[in-house]
Each structure stands twice: as C-alpha cells, then as structure tokens.
Amino acid sequence: MARTTPRRWKRWLIVGVAAAALVGVGGPYVYINYIQDDPPAALSLDSPPPTPESTSGSGSGEQAREGVEGAWRVGSGSQAGYRVDEVLFGQNVTAVGRTEEVTGELEIEGTRAVSGSFTVELASVRSDSGQRDGQFRGRVMNTERYPNAVFELTEPVDFGSVPDVNEQVTGEATGDLTIHGQTNSVTFDLTAQRTADSFRVNGSIPVTFADYGIDAPDFGGIAVEDEGAVEFLLAFTPA
C-alpha cells in the first residue's frame, strides 16, 4: 500500500485551503448574483388602482375640493418599511423590510394637508431573511422597548391643486420622525394621487441611524451602511 509523502500532504493542504477560500468568496457571490431574488422595487404610485368610468374626472374646482376636504384615515393597502444597503461577505446587496401594520390620519383643507401622522408597528416588519428580521427586532431596533416608528406633520403640505382622479401631485413635507425612542425633524418629498373614492400618498424619508441612537449592524460578515430610508405608501379612506 503506497504511503502518502509529506510533499503530497502539503499539496492537498494547499488545495483544501484554496477550495475553502473559493467557497467562502464565490459562494456568497453566486448566491447573491444568481440565486437570490432582486430586492422589491421602491414603493410608488406608478400602478394606480382601476377607476370606474363614472368617477373619472373631478368636475368643477369647488366639487374637487369638496371631494377631498375633511378627515381621512390610513386604510387597507397601506405599506411601510425600510430600505438599506448592506455588504454581505464582500458583496453589495439591498435589504428591504415591509409591513402592512400601519395606522394614521390626515386632515385636508383646500389644497393643503394641514395635519397628519402615521405609525408603523416595527415588530411586524419582514424581509426575505428570518435572520435579518431577528436582528432587526432585537439588537438593532429593540422593538420590545420601542415598538413603533411614528411620523407627525409639523407644517402644512401644500400640493398646489386638487388632482383629477388618478392624477399625481407633489409637495414637500416637514415633520417629526420618532424611531428607537428619539425624535428628529425631517423634510422630504411627497407624491399624492387621487383615486375613485380615496387617495394615496407615497414618500421616502432619509434616515441616518446615528441620529436615532441606532448602531448600524456589523457582524458575521454582514455590514450595514450608516444611512437608509423609511419608505411608505399610504391609502387613505374617509374617517
């Protein structure tokens, strides 16, 4: 029976180390680029719900204003969550987590949203990774202590006009965003769209984690950028 020489053992050891390195680097690359699904597209109003022909158009300016003025609440079809860039074992990926557990209200006078807020139940946010979700609920957001993210308008949003059905209008929102027990003033763009009997509002709020006392995760081959965004698409129905 032939004996394995020390030189042959050394050669096999080098091959084994090289193979392990290839798996460690190539494995995540293959998974992220060829197996893992692409992250969900950003929430938007680009696909409006169908509108019955009998409700198309907004009529006179007075009728249009009467159609949207008053109190509204966040209803079914609403979503909110986060979008953040990660480095996963040397590969750049985008992590997205969302939930439909969103509540809120809005008051409209003329072409302006004069007051409003929405609340996101953070423990219900889900991504495509159970491990990521566990870290999000635990060491990152501590949802047992800080269960919600809350945004509240501090200045009216003027959309300039009351849109026709399915038409989109834009405005700039300023308010207080509370995450992880800390509150900061934020300003960002909003897009609103009138539907047959309601309307929808879409936006993305930039977030720097350090401003909210959140340590960006960096462990086990996973690192998260210092900034991300809170995305939302809110469907409002009459209150």
Side-chain angles (χ1 to χ4, degrees), residues 128-150:
D128 62 351
S129 168
Q131 182 179 7
R132 180 190 292 123
D133 295 341
Q135 293 292 334
F136 176 83
R137 293 190 297 269
R139 63 185 293 177
V140 178
M141 299 303 299
N142 190 1
T143 58
E144 287 192 5
R145 184 174 181 183
Y146 309 110
N148 298 319
V150 181

Side-chain angles (χ1 to χ4, degrees), residues 31-92:
Y31 174 75
I32 291 168
N33 291 280
Y34 296 100
I35 300 175
Q36 184 184 40
D37 293 335
D38 291 334
L43 295 172
S44 74
L45 301 172
D46 290 340
S47 299
T51 303
E53 290 184 9
S54 60
T55 61
S56 61
S58 59
S60 68
E62 186 63 32
Q63 290 173 327
R65 285 192 294 274
E66 290 178 354
V68 298
E69 282 191 328
W72 300 79
R73 64 170 175 262
V74 174
S76 61
S78 300
Q79 297 182 67
Y82 66 83
R83 179 176 296 267
V84 63
D85 291 332
E86 293 180 341
V87 179
L88 180 61
F89 297 100
Q91 303 297 316
N92 295 322

Side-chain angles (χ1 to χ4, degrees), residues 61-225:
E62 186 63 32
Q63 290 173 327
R65 285 192 294 274
E66 290 178 354
V68 298
E69 282 191 328
W72 300 79
R73 64 170 175 262
V74 174
S76 61
S78 300
Q79 297 182 67
Y82 66 83
R83 179 176 296 267
V84 63
D85 291 332
E86 293 180 341
V87 179
L88 180 61
F89 297 100
Q91 303 297 316
N92 295 322
V93 299
T94 298
V96 177
R98 289 179 183 163
T99 179
E100 295 182 357
E101 298 299 322
V102 188
T103 58
E105 60 280 325
L106 194 65
E107 183 76 22
I108 295 180
E109 295 179 1
T111 64
R112 303 193 310 162
V114 295
S115 65
S117 66
F118 68 90
T119 299
V120 183
E121 182 186 287
L122 295 178
S124 64
V125 173
R126 295 290 184 272
S127 70
D128 62 351
S129 168
Q131 182 179 7
R132 180 190 292 123
D133 295 341
Q135 293 292 334
F136 176 83
R137 293 190 297 269
R139 63 185 293 177
V140 178
M141 299 303 299
N142 190 1
T143 58
E144 287 192 5
R145 184 174 181 183
Y146 309 110
N148 298 319
V150 181
F151 172 77
E152 183 170 5
L153 279 176
T154 55
E155 299 179 14
V157 180
D158 193 344
F159 291 103
S161 65
V162 177
D164 291 337
V165 172
N166 284 341
E167 182 185 357
Q168 297 181 17
V169 292
T170 60
E172 186 177 74
T174 296
D176 289 337
L177 178 64
T178 301
I179 303 175
H180 203 246
Q182 298 196 28
T183 302
N184 289 282
S185 179
V186 293
T187 299
F188 56 95
D189 292 332
L190 280 179
T191 304
Q193 178 190 52
R194 190 176 181 184
T195 63
D197 54 3
S198 60
F199 67 93
R200 302 190 298 167
V201 176
N202 172 231
S204 179
I205 309 174
V207 172
T208 299
F209 299 127
D211 291 345
Y212 298 88
I214 300 171
D215 295 327
D218 187 355
F219 58 90
I222 302 173
V224 176
E225 297 296 332

